[in-house]
Amino acid sequence: MAAGTHWAGYAGGCHCIIQKKDAIGMRMPWLKRENQLPAGKGGLPKMPIKLFRGVIGGMITILIVGCSVGPDYTKPNIPVPNRWSTRELPSKAGHAGDVQSWWTAFNDPVLTQLIEMATKGNLDVRQAIARIDESRALVQAATGRHFPELGASGSVLRGKLSENAIGISVPGGMSIETVTETTYSIGMSSAWEIDLFGRIRRTVEAASANYQASIEDFHSVLVALTAQVAAAYIDYREYQHRLVLARERLNDIEKLRDLVAKRVEAGIASKVELSDVESKVAETKAQLPMLQNGLVVSRNRLCALLGLPPGSIDDVLREVRSIPAPPQEVLVSIPTEVVRQRPDIRKAERRLAAQTAMIGVRVADLYPRFSLLGSFSFSSLSVSTLLESASLGFNFGPTLTWNIFKGGVVRAQIKAEEARTRQALAAYENTLITAFKEVENAISTFRKSADQLESIKELVRERKRSLSLAEQLYKSGKQDYLSVLTARLAVCAAEEQQLMQEARIIQSLVMLYRALGGGWSNNSLTTVLAEIQKEQALIESGRNK
């Protein structure tokens, strides 16, 4: 290329200006014999001075004109709504910090303890950390390609040529005697690829983006894990209280059955009434195994989330506690904050950045690769003369390789990477839309669950008023005790409805926090990651002892 020549790369992604007139590969005067110095001691030629000058000049030129082909990544500018479409919010707008450590707002120390145990013992978390370690190693491997490779070799070879395979005829029918010899050799070799068109730089760029995506994947696992632990814990407390209510209801129904049986004996009630009560007793008893099984299933689910075998947290859960109450006020982030908060969105964006860089890696295959190769070795038929100057041999210089024709493979690979990039862009947009949908649904579910809870609370109040009236009439002798027991059963049924609805509203709140991407700030995430990695290192060191 002549001085001042301008070359534009792929999609405007590379611009190179040749500043040096004698660019490498254009003029190589050091190859001329007259530019070499006289032979040194033992007939060994000295390394040409101009060879060094030329190579150093060529390296400087390459470093000056080095560039990265392929498109440069810019974050997609996708429109984000200014507010949520759900207008009736049981909250006020907040910001990213408002949903961090959201479980502490429930003021339940057992829940907080379980979440802390889960972050350190969950197996999905361990896998996510292993993926971080893997992607970090891949970044180091990609970065290492910027540096020269250095290798050493040595050999001791003994052999001789085949007399019948030499293929040399000697006049007079004389034979050639082959000699068995031992050759000793030691040496070193080096290779350095000059990243002229940015193939290595784009590889590092893609690996770095994938590493950042693995961190966001770890963050996403923690967000999901905290929500799953809270949901399983709420289920466990719900089953606990439903079992208590079911046993109380069974006790009241059995009293009612005994009372009706006495009335039947006295001829006041019919056997049909007694049969109805007996069916209610059987129905309530049938609910107990189902509730007990639900309690065991939710407990085992908690154990699995904590990375523990079933039954490992019975002591933690033995005490009967109430279902966590929702906070008085729920802060809901605006859509732009959700984009910044949700780790799955950030992960999808980093995957898109990595895939965009891969286009540049493939585009670089269209251009030649420049390398500097060098080696020196000592070879001799005797160990005593192996390190003498006469045993030394070396070679050093630049090389160029270029796939001029490959049947359209490289361009097909470029098209494939471009198609993968479009897929990554669509996946990123889909992640955004899914996130907004989940938040909108969670807000609506929380709102409607709160409204339904108010209606159920009103039902409980009405049933309790009916019970109070029935008790007053019984005391005044205007009604029998059967009406009191019936009213009490109605109260128990309404209270169970209220309990289940309170669990639903807390579950919907947990899903809302999860949809908002809440749970972990960047600082707390870094701290948790460091603590888990430290504990795993201690465990591994203990196993190796």
Side-chain angles (χ1 to χ4, degrees):
M1 298 181 186
T5 300
H6 180 274
W7 180 83
Y10 177 89
C14 176
H15 297 279
C16 305
I17 306 297
I18 304 300
Q19 302 289 349
K20 186 175 177 62
K21 182 176 180 180
D22 295 335
I24 185 168
M26 307 307 294
R27 296 177 57 189
M28 296 180 285
W30 55 83
L31 296 182
K32 296 180 180 179
R33 183 172 298 275
E34 59 267 28
N35 289 316
Q36 298 181 4
L37 295 179
K41 183 180 179 180
L44 178 69
K46 294 183 179 179
M47 186 176 293
I49 294 177
K50 287 192 176 183
L51 174 62
F52 279 108
R53 292 176 181 175
V55 169
I56 296 300
M59 290 174 60
I60 294 174
T61 301
I62 289 175
L63 293 176
I64 291 175
V65 304
C67 59
S68 296
V69 297
D72 292 327
Y73 174 74
T74 55
K75 185 176 179 180
N77 185 17
I78 298 177
V80 176
N82 296 325
R83 57 182 178 81
W84 304 112
S85 62
T86 305
R87 299 181 181 277
E88 299 178 1
L89 294 176
S91 59
K92 68 179 183 181
H95 55 81
D98 298 325
V99 294
Q100 309 305 334
S101 301
W102 50 263
W103 55 88
T104 58
F106 294 148
N107 296 317
D108 191 316
V110 177
L111 174 59
T112 302
Q113 179 185 356
L114 291 174
I115 288 177
E116 290 175 354
M117 293 172 64
T119 56
K120 296 177 181 179
N122 182 264
L123 298 179
D124 289 336
V125 171
R126 294 184 191 177
Q127 292 181 57
I129 293 176
R131 287 193 291 269
I132 291 177
D133 295 338
E134 176 192 4
S135 58
R136 184 191 294 114
L138 291 176
V139 172
Q140 295 171 348
T143 304
R145 297 176 185 175
H146 280 299
F147 303 98
E149 298 177 7
L150 184 64
S153 62
S155 65
V156 178
L157 302 176
R158 183 170 178 81
K160 78 179 188 68
L161 295 175
S162 169
E163 297 180 8
N164 294 329
I166 294 177
I168 300 177
S169 60
V170 180
M174 297 177 60
S175 62
I176 297 178
E177 182 180 357
T178 59
V179 180
T180 301
E181 296 178 329
T182 301
T183 304
Y184 302 90
S185 176
I186 58 172
M188 298 187 72
S189 62
S190 179
W192 185 14
E193 180 179 347
I194 306 301
D195 193 24
L196 178 60
F197 295 103
R199 186 182 66 87
I200 297 176
R201 286 192 293 274
R202 290 299 192 193
T203 303
V204 173
E205 181 183 339
S208 300
N210 281 323
Y211 169 65
Q212 294 163 352
S214 69
I215 294 178
E216 297 302 341
D217 176 64
F218 169 70
H219 192 173
S220 183
V221 168
L222 283 182
V223 169
L225 176 64
T226 52
Q228 291 168 354
V229 170
Y233 177 74
I234 293 166
D235 282 343
Y236 185 85
R237 294 304 184 197
E238 178 188 351
Y239 282 115
Q240 266 190 334
H241 284 274
R242 287 182 65 187
L243 266 172
V244 172
L245 290 176
R247 291 187 178 113
E248 291 177 355
R249 185 166 66 253
L250 179 60
N251 184 54
D252 289 337
I253 294 175
E254 287 176 340
K255 289 180 180 179
L256 178 59
R257 178 194 59 190
D258 295 341
L259 180 59
V260 173
K262 291 179 181 179
R263 289 167 62 87
V264 170
E265 291 177 2
I268 303 175
S270 66
K271 291 184 178 181
V272 175
E273 293 178 275
L274 180 59
S275 178
D276 290 340
V277 177
E278 290 284 4
S279 64
K280 288 183 180 180
V281 171
E283 181 182 350
T284 305
K285 284 184 177 180
Q287 290 179 356
L288 293 179
M290 182 270 294
L291 296 174
Q292 290 167 345
N293 180 66
L295 192 68
V296 172
V297 169
S298 57
R299 182 202 63 188
N300 292 342
R301 184 152 58 102
L302 276 172
C303 290
L305 290 170
L306 271 58
L308 299 172
S312 301
I313 56 174
D314 287 352
D315 293 338
V316 179
L317 299 173
R318 181 167 289 113
E319 180 185 357
V320 178
R321 299 179 63 90
S322 60
I323 295 175
Q328 295 295 324
E329 191 174 65
V330 179
L331 296 173
V332 178
S333 304
I334 59 177
T336 53
E337 287 289 343
V338 170
V339 173
R340 285 189 284 267
Q341 285 171 193
R342 283 190 52 138
D344 57 338
I345 295 177
R346 297 197 298 267
K347 173 185 172 182
E349 187 272 329
R350 288 290 81 201
R351 294 296 187 202
L352 174 60
Q355 185 53 48
T356 303
M358 288 304 299
I359 297 178
V361 174
R362 293 303 182 188
V363 172
D365 291 338
L366 292 172
Y367 302 94
R369 295 186 188 181
F370 295 90
S371 300
L372 292 178
L373 302 179
S375 67
F376 72 89
S377 63
F378 292 89
S379 299
S380 176
L381 298 178
S382 173
V383 175
S384 61
T385 60
L386 179 61
L387 297 181
E388 292 182 357
S389 60
S391 300
L392 175 64
F394 71 89
N395 60 71
F396 178 76
T399 64
L400 179 149
T401 58
W402 194 353
N403 289 321
I404 297 177
F405 178 74
K406 207 174 180 182
V409 172
V410 175
R411 294 192 180 278
Q413 290 174 334
I414 294 173
K415 291 180 180 179
E417 296 297 345
E418 290 173 343
R420 293 190 185 106
T421 303
R422 292 194 298 272
Q423 295 174 46
L425 175 59
Y428 173 63
E429 294 177 353
N430 185 60
T431 304
L432 278 174
I433 294 173
T434 301
F436 296 150
K437 176 201 70 176
E438 291 176 352
V439 175
E440 292 275 7
N441 290 348
I443 291 173
S444 177
T445 302
F446 182 48
R447 172 72 271 181
K448 300 308 178 185
S449 297
D451 293 342
Q452 189 175 3
L453 179 60
E454 292 302 319
S455 300
I456 294 175
K457 285 181 177 180
E458 180 61 30
L459 174 63
V460 172
R461 287 191 290 267
E462 290 297 331
R463 295 279 175 86
K464 286 183 176 180
R465 280 195 287 267
S466 299
L467 174 60
S468 178
L469 180 59
E471 288 174 343
Q472 291 176 8
L473 293 174
Y474 171 72
K475 291 177 182 178
S476 64
K478 296 180 180 179
Q479 282 188 353
D480 53 22
Y481 194 65
L482 178 61
S483 60
V484 175
L485 287 177
T486 303
R488 186 173 295 170
L489 288 174
V491 170
C492 287
E495 286 178 340
E496 185 177 18
Q497 277 187 277
Q498 179 178 340
L499 176 68
M500 295 171 63
Q501 189 60 30
E502 287 173 346
R504 288 194 193 99
I505 195 171
I506 296 299
Q507 294 279 21
S508 65
L509 182 57
V510 169
M511 292 302 103
L512 175 58
Y513 282 132
R514 178 178 179 175
L516 293 171
W520 304 91
S521 64
N522 290 331
N523 291 334
S524 62
L525 182 70
T526 303
T527 302
V528 169
L529 179 58
E531 290 178 353
I532 297 174
Q533 289 177 326
K534 183 178 179 180
E535 289 187 6
Q536 289 185 346
L538 291 174
I539 294 173
E540 290 297 327
S541 63
R543 290 175 179 173
N544 295 331
K545 289 182 179 179

